[in-house]
Amino acid sequence: MGIFDRFSSKDVDHFAKSLAVDISRRYPPSLDQAKEKKISQNRIAKVLEDAYRKAIEFESGKSLGVYKKARLGNTFRWELTELGYSKPFIEMATEGLIVYITRKAPSASAAGSAKR
């Protein structure tokens, strides 16, 4: 077991797929493909933000490196494609995922001073 074997890439793949499936339950691909959107942009944003929050929790628990973050994004992208989402939605959702998991969380002191 080496330094890079804290957890398997299969864990990352499994999480990425489960994240995409969770999105598909709350925002089915058929709604994304419909010409007349029956769901508000705010609702889509809420679904994606919930997914991104789960990804941040996963990343903080696993301390993903660059390779595994990229793997998470790619697996997520391919799973959304297989589920039948449109290319614009896939690009937006994947870009958001990568942005959320790569930005640094604010420190406790910064969070405390922001509340004042």
Side-chain angles (χ1 to χ4, degrees):
M1 187 186 270
I3 192 168
F4 299 109
D5 294 333
R6 282 192 237 168
F7 61 98
S8 160
S9 293
K10 290 181 182 179
D11 293 340
V12 174
D13 291 343
H14 177 72
F15 176 75
K17 289 178 182 181
S18 68
L19 200 59
V21 168
D22 186 45
I23 289 171
S24 74
R25 287 186 187 127
R26 297 180 62 198
Y27 178 58
S30 59
L31 286 178
D32 178 53
Q33 297 289 348
K35 291 184 181 187
E36 292 181 22
K37 300 281 185 190
K38 296 181 181 174
I39 189 168
S40 73
Q41 293 298 320
N42 289 336
R43 179 68 179 145
I44 295 169
K46 174 73 172 133
V47 169
L48 291 175
E49 286 172 1
D50 288 347
Y52 299 157
R53 188 173 48 256
K54 289 178 187 177
I56 291 169
E57 290 170 7
F58 178 80
E59 193 281 330
S60 65
K62 304 287 187 181
S63 297
L64 301 178
V66 173
Y67 170 76
K68 295 220 172 139
K69 286 178 184 177
R71 185 173 181 116
L72 176 67
N74 284 330
T75 303
F76 179 72
R77 176 187 312 268
W78 287 111
E79 190 64 22
L80 290 176
T81 301
E82 286 185 25
L83 289 169
Y85 286 98
S86 67
K87 186 171 181 157
F89 177 80
I90 293 167
E91 294 298 319
M92 177 195 56
T94 305
E95 181 179 341
L97 175 68
I98 297 302
V99 167
Y100 268 73
I101 63 172
T102 56
R103 70 180 180 185
K104 301 287 182 195
S107 65
S109 62
S113 64
K115 290 181 181 178
R116 293 179 191 175

